[in-house]
Amino acid sequence: MLPPSRLLFRPLASAAVRPATQHILRPAAAFGTSSVFRQQQQQQLPNTPTTSAIQPATPTTTTTTTTTTATTTTTPAPLSHETLKLLPLLLSQPQHYITIHIHAFPFLVTAGDTVTLPFRLKGVTPGQTLRLTHASVLGSRDYTLKGAPYLDERLFRCHATVVAETAEPMRVKEKTKRRQRKIKKVKSKHVYTVLRIKEVVVRNPFVEGAVEQVDAL
Amino acid sequence: MSYFKITLIRSGIGMTKRQNGVLASLGLRKRMQTVYHRVSPDVAGKIMKVKELVAVSERERAESRAEIHKRRQPPCGFVVEA
């Protein structure tokens, strides 16, 4: 039996890495006047990498691409030609997993998983449906799509339901010192939010009639 | 109207009392904290006293603590739909 071919998509160039501009500048000769270094810094403003055009599915010249940044205001950059070529292969597979990020904590999940978060998720109540917006890896048995640092939102859809807010058993920490009879007891009983992943959908919106592969609970 | 953006890169633990005093006067309590001070000779002198511990750059605008916190906070990662 042939081993599964693991084709890794080329990671999209990260535009989120900020150049290390922190260094000691010599103060200007007269404080308060315009600084030579400030003028230099203004010329070195970071480039805004995003473009609005979406790459068509037909082969064109390969372009270097940039990623979607973490801020939601910027428009996502176009995907590379290689990514678009391999996306239908990822969609054709039956099962998918996704690494979602909640407050930057990663969770690798599939449809039907019950996730107990290691904290209480604020602003949600049991019964609500959440749409997860940040994911870094979307994969199947033979293919992996990696974002840098996050994936384009158009490529996936992931919904989860808030099942419950459950508490751990009460634990008591005894604080004392040697040869000291006094014992201080500190109680802890943290609350954790439980989510159930309802669906993991891989999408290909760059094709005629956007194609989806739905893994639902 | 320009500011020094000062970030504490090396901790003050184990440093001299003088250096820790300078860090306290700059308002730097923990590592990777960022503060803004108006460009002036006295602030420049303080930076020179702790120049091995900090990274400095010059900015037009000072960020408030709330703005720094908002910028550093990671994205929440979900949207409540129903």
Side-chain angles (χ1 to χ4, degrees):
Chain A
M1 192 179 81
L2 285 172
S5 57
R6 297 198 183 279
L7 285 174
L8 280 175
F9 292 77
R10 189 204 300 168
L12 303 172
S14 171
V17 174
R18 306 220 175 276
T21 55
Q22 306 289 329
H23 55 279
I24 295 179
L25 300 175
R26 281 207 201 84
F31 292 101
T33 59
S34 65
S35 160
V36 172
F37 298 103
R38 197 167 348 111
Q39 285 165 15
Q40 283 178 2
Q41 209 164 40
Q42 278 165 6
Q43 287 159 18
Q44 289 165 21
L45 281 174
N47 300 321
T48 49
T50 58
T51 63
S52 56
I54 295 173
Q55 288 289 348
T58 56
T60 55
T61 55
T62 56
T63 58
T64 57
T65 61
T66 54
T67 73
T68 55
T69 61
T71 59
T72 51
T73 50
T74 56
T75 55
L79 299 184
S80 73
H81 169 62
E82 292 160 33
T83 308
L84 290 170
K85 205 163 66 162
L86 291 166
L87 205 46
L89 291 169
L90 176 64
L91 258 82
S92 66
Q93 303 229 285
Q95 290 173 322
H96 301 90
Y97 67 89
I98 190 168
T99 301
I100 54 170
H101 288 254
I102 298 177
H103 296 299
F105 285 98
F107 301 99
L108 195 153
V109 294
T110 54
D113 281 358
T114 305
V115 186
T116 305
L117 303 176
F119 49 85
R120 183 178 67 86
L121 198 55
K122 286 211 260 188
V124 297
T125 52
Q128 284 181 328
T129 305
L130 310 179
R131 176 171 60 83
L132 298 151
T133 53
H134 285 73
S136 60
V137 178
L138 178 55
S140 65
R141 184 170 186 271
D142 296 323
Y143 302 100
T144 311
L145 178 58
K146 295 162 89 164
Y150 298 117
L151 287 171
D152 194 324
E153 279 194 34
R154 296 171 290 179
L155 291 170
F156 68 93
R157 192 173 73 232
C158 186
H159 282 110
T161 310
V162 181
V163 170
E165 279 183 1
T166 180
E168 59 167 345
M170 176 90 76
R171 54 193 159 95
V172 180
K173 188 183 211 64
E174 289 187 351
K175 303 201 73 179
T176 188
K177 299 273 189 257
R178 293 161 77 181
R179 295 173 296 279
Q180 168 75 287
R181 294 179 191 190
K182 181 171 168 55
I183 302 170
K184 182 181 174 187
K185 294 188 183 165
V186 180
K187 294 191 288 191
S188 299
K189 194 181 168 105
H190 290 307
V191 179
Y192 303 123
T193 305
V194 182
L195 301 181
R196 182 102 158 136
I197 308 297
K198 290 290 199 183
E199 61 166 8
V200 171
V201 177
V202 190
R203 303 182 65 241
N204 188 356
F206 308 106
V207 160
E208 292 291 324
V211 181
E212 289 186 350
Q213 174 67 26
V214 178
D215 300 349
L217 176 57
Chain B
M1 185 85 64
S2 56
Y3 294 86
F4 283 128
K5 180 184 176 188
I6 308 165
T7 305
L8 188 62
I9 299 294
R10 302 289 299 264
S11 169
I13 298 169
M15 295 296 114
T16 62
K17 278 192 288 189
R18 183 165 299 218
Q19 286 172 325
N20 279 314
V22 171
L23 292 178
S25 78
L26 285 169
L28 292 165
R29 292 172 186 277
K30 52 177 72 169
R31 207 178 83 91
M32 305 316 283
Q33 188 179 1
T34 306
V35 289
Y36 287 81
H37 288 286
R38 280 278 171 86
V39 170
S40 64
D42 46 324
V43 175
K46 288 183 195 177
I47 291 168
M48 289 309 288
K49 282 287 180 188
V50 291
K51 62 184 181 314
E52 294 86 5
L53 309 178
V54 295
V56 182
S57 61
E58 207 175 332
R59 293 274 185 271
E60 277 297 330
R61 238 192 97 249
E63 279 181 305
S64 66
R65 272 189 64 191
E67 283 172 333
I68 293 173
H69 178 73
K70 192 159 180 263
R71 179 170 50 79
R72 291 180 68 156
Q73 214 171 26
C76 126
F78 65 93
V79 171
V80 178
E81 287 220 318

